[in-house]
């Protein structure tokens, strides 16, 4: 890099014709009074665009421009250049090649910053240039809340964590700077999960380490983890917030608490589990103010959407949504209720837990310790004269029998089950003791679903040919483009951002009812509906979304390999 003093940025811009001498004088005067960077002043005043400023610096200093949204620095480099240093000089580490460190800078003329980092690492520095906003966003994304909170906590006096000393107060309260260090760290861990769209936070003790991981779009991502010696304090803090017995470490426990982060009202379900190295804790994040999806937004489309809509508009019968844990069944049921909801209808639910709040809907949460189970709650709901009933899950013979009775007496019942495919629900209902004649007279349809990750809109790419073709998928995919992924800061280099459902809907018509009454095997019924041409399998639905660039063939294969 040419040896150019920091104060010559303005001269360089004047010589390039980007600004006039008078404009430079005015900007320097403002810089003297505000202390802001000269480039920031020129851009914010409208004298230059950010892109023009980068182009001039890159061209005249022979420094490449870098897009930090496409950068994933190695963890050891983030440790080598601490967050405090990165923020102080507005720099961000990119990579290490041939014994040299490459960094991105908002001000490549700040030679003092380059010299300080070079001396600290005892390595030569190569610079690239990018905007200040990109650097700050990258610092926030890669260093995160946990690192800054951890540094603050370690610099604070260590409190005593003996029996009876956990008087931190509720998490919902705004502690501010007076909050105890452990409270700050736990809140930082949760804040990071919320910022990253995590569904679960896993705190996992090891022999000599404590690991924090987040489940984002169904996949686990690591985080900067606290020291092992903080394990007992962190776990005790979470137990107190969840009203869990802090003295009991030998058996699993469950609890929950509420908190507000950045205006979002959250409920966190907490589960502890003893391991040989200490108690593992999982926090499930439930956003109580989530915006409900329409059925189309869940991924339902085409004939599957039309058939499913028609089934839930019936006045009576049972509609089952099935799939494994975490496949989005509850979201689909809420989308149904959102469509059916109106002041003219009485809708009652019994759930575990209540994840969304619906206007005009009477929602109840099971409480097994208090004697309120799905079966007992459903029996009471029938005396409330509802039009639509949602049962969180049919999991035992008693609940199945009461749900059937409700459907036979003029109610529409929506519920979930855990089966592999739509046709398997019929066999599962028989296992729960339901008579065949009751199944065919009440069951109106079964929606089976899985979740697949969506290609990140910022870094997704269309591939030519079938380089990403997965074995076993229909060759119809050859006729259209195949979409792949690269990875960027927004998607944590995974190439995916968000999830969408893939579905199959089994409409229980007269022919299927006859086959069930005759005792036909599920495989025979499935073969019949496939030959009818009116049934779209989950795999076909997934392939259609892969061909349109919503997801990838790998995701479809992973979600449907057992179907």
């Amino acid at each position: 890099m040419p040896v150019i003093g920091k104060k010559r940025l303005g001269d360089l811009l004047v010589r390039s014709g980007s600004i006039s001498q008078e404009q430079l004088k005015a900007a320097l005067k403002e810089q003297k009074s505000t202390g802001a960077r000269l480039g920031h002043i020129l851009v914010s005043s409208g004298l230059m665009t950010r892109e023009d400023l980068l182009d001039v610096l890159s061209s005249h200093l022979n420094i490449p421009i870098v897009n930090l949204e496409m950068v994933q620095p190695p963890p050891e480099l983030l440790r080598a250049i601490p967050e405090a240093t990165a923020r102080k000089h507005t720099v961000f580490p990119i990579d290490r090649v041939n014994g040299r460190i490459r960094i991105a800078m908002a001000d490549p003329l700040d030679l003092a910053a380059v010299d300080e980092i070079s001396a600290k690492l005892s390595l030569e520095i190569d610079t690239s240039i990018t905007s200040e906003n990109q650097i700050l966003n990258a610092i926030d994304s890669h260093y995160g809340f946990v690192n800054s909170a951890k540094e603050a906590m370690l610099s604070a006096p260590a409190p005593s964590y003996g029996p009876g000393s956990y008087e931190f107060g509720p998490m919902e309260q705004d502690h501010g700077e007076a909050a105890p260090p452990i409270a700050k760290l736990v809140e930082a861990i949760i804040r990071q999960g919320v910022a990253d769209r995590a569904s679960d936070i896993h705190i996992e003790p090891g022999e000599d380490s404590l690991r924090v991981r987040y489940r984002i779009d169904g996949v686990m991502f690591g985080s900067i983890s606290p020291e092992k010696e903080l394990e007992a304090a962190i776990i005790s803090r979470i137990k107190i917030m969840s009203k869990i017995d802090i003295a009991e470490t030998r058996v699993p426990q469950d609890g929950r608490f509420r908190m507000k982060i950045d205006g979002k009202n959250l409920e966190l379900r907490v589960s502890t589990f003893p391991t040989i190295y200490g108690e593992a804790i999982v926090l499930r994040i439930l956003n109580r103010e989530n915006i409900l999806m329409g059925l189309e937004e869940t991924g339902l489309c085409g004939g599957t959407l039309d058939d499913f809509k028609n089934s839930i508009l019936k006045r009576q019968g049972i509609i089952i949504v099935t799939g494994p844990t975490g496949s989005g069944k509850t979201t689909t049921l809420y989308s149904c209720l959102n469509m059916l909801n109106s002041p003219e209808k009485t809708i009652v639910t019994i759930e575990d837990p209540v994840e969304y709040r619906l206007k005009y809907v009477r929602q109840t949460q099971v409480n097994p310790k208090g004697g309120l189970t799905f079966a007992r709650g459903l029996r009471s709901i029938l005396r409330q004269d509802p039009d639509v009933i949602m049962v969180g899950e049919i999991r035992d013979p008693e609940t199945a029998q009461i749900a059937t009775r409700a459907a036979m007496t003029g109610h529409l019942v929506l519920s979930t089950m855990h089966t592999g495919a739509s046709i398997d629900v019929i066999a599962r209902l028989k296992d729960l003791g339901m008579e065949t004649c009751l199944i065919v007279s009440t069951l109106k349809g079964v929606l089976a679903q899985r979740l697949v990750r969506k290609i990140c809109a910022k870094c997704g790419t269309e591939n030519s040919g079938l380089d990403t073709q997965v074995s076993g998928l229909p060759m119809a995919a050859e006729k259209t483009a195949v979409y792949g992924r690269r990875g960027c800061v927004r998607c944590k280099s995974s190439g995916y951002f968000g999830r969408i459902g893939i579905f199959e809907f089994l409409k229980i018509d007269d022919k299927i009812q006859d086959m069930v009454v005759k005792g036909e095997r599920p495989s025979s019924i499935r073969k019949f509906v496939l030959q009818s041409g009116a049934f779209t399998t989950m795999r076909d639905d997934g392939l259609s979304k892969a061909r349109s660039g919503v997801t990838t063939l790998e995701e479809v294969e992973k979600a449907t390999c057992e179907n």
Side-chain angles (χ1 to χ4, degrees):
M1 184 179 97
V3 180
I4 301 177
K6 183 176 180 181
K7 295 182 180 179
R8 292 188 57 184
L9 171 60
D11 294 336
L12 189 154
L13 295 174
V14 170
R15 287 201 304 270
S16 69
S18 302
I19 58 174
S20 67
Q21 190 68 46
E22 289 72 20
Q23 289 171 330
L24 173 60
K25 289 180 180 178
L28 290 173
K29 183 178 179 180
E30 182 177 345
Q31 183 187 38
K32 186 175 181 179
S33 61
T34 64
R37 293 178 182 273
L38 179 60
H40 177 77
I41 293 171
L42 294 172
V43 171
S44 61
S45 63
L47 295 176
M48 298 184 68
T49 66
R50 185 177 289 108
E51 291 74 19
D52 288 341
L53 178 61
L54 293 178
D55 286 341
V56 170
L57 291 172
S58 175
S59 174
H60 285 74
L61 301 178
N62 195 27
I63 298 175
I65 299 174
V66 63
N67 180 6
L68 292 183
E69 292 183 352
M70 309 303 294
V71 168
Q72 180 65 45
E76 60 271 15
L77 197 52
L78 292 174
R79 290 192 293 267
I81 301 179
E83 180 179 357
T85 302
R87 290 191 184 276
K88 175 185 175 182
H89 299 296
T90 319
V91 302
F92 188 76
I94 299 175
D95 54 27
R96 177 175 178 172
V97 180
N98 298 327
R100 299 174 68 90
I101 300 293
R102 189 158 66 103
I103 64 173
M105 303 184 70
D107 183 0
L109 301 177
D110 188 354
L111 299 182
V114 175
D115 291 342
E116 179 181 328
I117 296 172
S118 178
K120 182 181 180 67
L121 302 180
S122 300
L123 292 170
E124 294 293 323
I125 302 296
D126 291 328
T127 59
S128 298
I129 186 173
T130 191
S131 69
E132 182 176 357
N133 284 344
Q134 272 211 15
I135 290 178
L136 294 177
N137 288 338
I139 291 173
D140 289 341
S141 176
H142 289 274
Y143 288 97
F145 293 106
V146 175
N147 194 33
S148 56
K150 190 171 90 175
E151 289 178 358
M153 188 197 67
L154 292 177
S155 63
S160 171
Y161 294 105
S165 65
Y166 300 86
E167 299 178 357
F168 296 152
M171 194 66 169
E172 298 93 318
Q173 183 178 343
D174 184 12
H175 294 289
E177 292 301 319
I182 284 295
K184 287 183 179 180
L185 179 57
V186 170
E187 183 173 352
I189 291 171
I190 296 172
R191 280 183 176 276
Q192 182 71 59
V194 173
D196 286 346
R197 305 175 299 108
S199 59
D200 304 277
I201 302 172
H202 293 245
I203 300 174
E204 305 164 327
E207 183 176 7
D208 53 7
S209 64
L210 181 64
R211 182 169 65 171
V212 176
R213 295 195 297 166
Y214 300 102
R215 186 178 296 279
I216 304 170
D217 295 334
V219 177
M220 299 297 291
F221 285 85
S223 176
I224 300 175
S225 298
E227 279 71 16
K228 178 70 173 179
E229 55 265 27
L230 302 175
E231 176 185 319
I234 291 172
I235 291 175
S236 294
R237 170 64 184 169
I238 295 173
K239 281 185 169 183
I240 289 171
M241 293 161 61
S242 313
K243 296 181 173 59
I244 292 175
D245 185 357
I246 63 171
E248 180 58 74
T249 62
R250 298 165 298 176
V251 297
Q253 298 186 77
D254 296 306
R256 64 184 64 204
F257 63 92
R258 297 174 184 176
M259 64 185 301
K260 192 169 185 175
I261 290 182
D262 299 331
K264 298 177 182 177
N265 290 311
L266 305 174
E267 182 170 318
L268 290 95
R269 287 190 287 168
V270 179
S271 171
T272 72
F273 189 80
T275 73
I276 59 174
Y277 296 123
E279 286 184 283
I281 287 187
V282 176
L283 297 89
R284 182 76 183 273
I285 303 174
L286 302 175
N287 188 347
R288 296 156 59 86
E289 298 177 348
N290 269 349
I291 298 175
L292 292 173
M293 295 182 178
L295 286 174
E296 293 84 354
E297 293 174 278
T298 65
L300 277 163
C301 57
T304 302
L305 173 62
D306 294 337
D307 289 343
F308 184 60
K309 273 188 174 180
N310 290 335
S311 71
I312 63 176
L313 290 174
K314 295 181 182 296
R315 296 183 63 86
Q316 65 183 64
I318 299 177
I319 307 296
I320 301 291
V321 180
T322 188
T325 300
S327 58
K329 301 186 296 296
T330 302
T331 299
T332 300
L333 283 184
Y334 273 105
S335 298
C336 295
L337 294 183
N338 200 36
M339 190 183 86
L340 295 170
N341 195 7
S342 72
E344 293 77 29
K345 286 186 177 180
T346 298
I347 302 176
V348 185
T349 76
I350 180 161
E351 310 168 53
D352 183 24
V354 174
E355 295 189 20
Y356 305 90
R357 306 303 167 95
L358 292 173
K359 192 175 183 180
Y360 303 126
V361 176
R362 285 179 277 171
Q363 297 172 269
T364 304
Q365 190 160 298
V366 297
N367 180 14
K369 292 182 179 178
L372 181 58
T373 62
F374 279 122
R376 186 171 182 179
L378 183 53
R379 189 181 294 110
S380 298
I381 286 171
L382 292 177
R383 295 193 285 269
Q384 295 281 311
D385 189 29
D387 298 296
V388 181
I389 302 170
M390 187 189 96
V391 183
E393 182 183 352
I394 295 177
R395 60 174 65 154
D396 56 71
E398 186 180 7
T399 304
Q401 293 294 337
I402 300 172
T404 303
R405 189 188 315 154
M408 291 181 66
T409 54
H411 304 88
L412 177 65
V413 180
L414 307 176
S415 190
T416 71
M417 296 187 78
H418 291 271
T419 64
S422 55
I423 194 64
D424 297 334
V425 164
I426 295 173
R428 177 63 180 146
L429 289 172
K430 289 182 178 179
D431 291 340
L432 291 176
M434 286 184 62
E435 297 179 12
T436 301
C437 62
L438 295 180
I439 294 175
V440 298
S441 62
T442 58
L443 186 63
K444 302 303 180 184
V446 180
L447 183 75
Q449 67 179 78
R450 301 287 189 276
L451 290 178
V452 295
R453 290 182 292 172
K454 296 193 294 184
I455 294 175
C456 177
K458 279 189 173 289
C459 62
T461 178
E462 181 178 326
N463 301 327
S464 59
L466 287 170
D467 294 339
T468 56
Q469 173 88 26
V470 179
S471 61
L473 292 178
M475 295 306 290
E478 290 184 9
K479 298 179 181 178
T480 58
V482 176
Y483 292 81
R485 57 193 177 87
R486 290 197 298 266
C488 63
V489 170
R490 177 176 182 259
C491 63
K492 291 188 171 292
S493 298
S494 68
Y496 298 103
F497 190 89
R499 290 192 289 178
I500 195 169
I502 57 174
F503 304 87
E504 65 180 36
F505 181 67
L506 178 67
K507 183 169 61 175
I508 310 298
D509 56 19
D510 294 341
K511 179 60 179 177
I512 293 178
Q513 288 177 348
D514 290 341
M515 297 179 74
V516 173
V517 170
K518 291 176 182 177
E520 296 279 358
R521 297 170 61 87
S523 57
S524 299
I525 299 176
R526 187 173 182 85
K527 182 178 179 181
F528 165 76
V529 296
L530 288 173
Q531 291 174 343
S532 70
F535 180 77
T536 301
T537 66
M538 277 189 286
R539 176 164 288 205
D540 288 339
D541 186 35
L543 282 173
S544 175
K545 290 180 170 71
R547 288 194 291 268
S548 62
V550 175
T551 187
T552 62
L553 294 172
E554 291 92 341
E555 281 292 295
V556 176
E557 170 71 5
K558 183 169 63 175
T560 63
C561 60
E562 296 180 359
N563 299 296

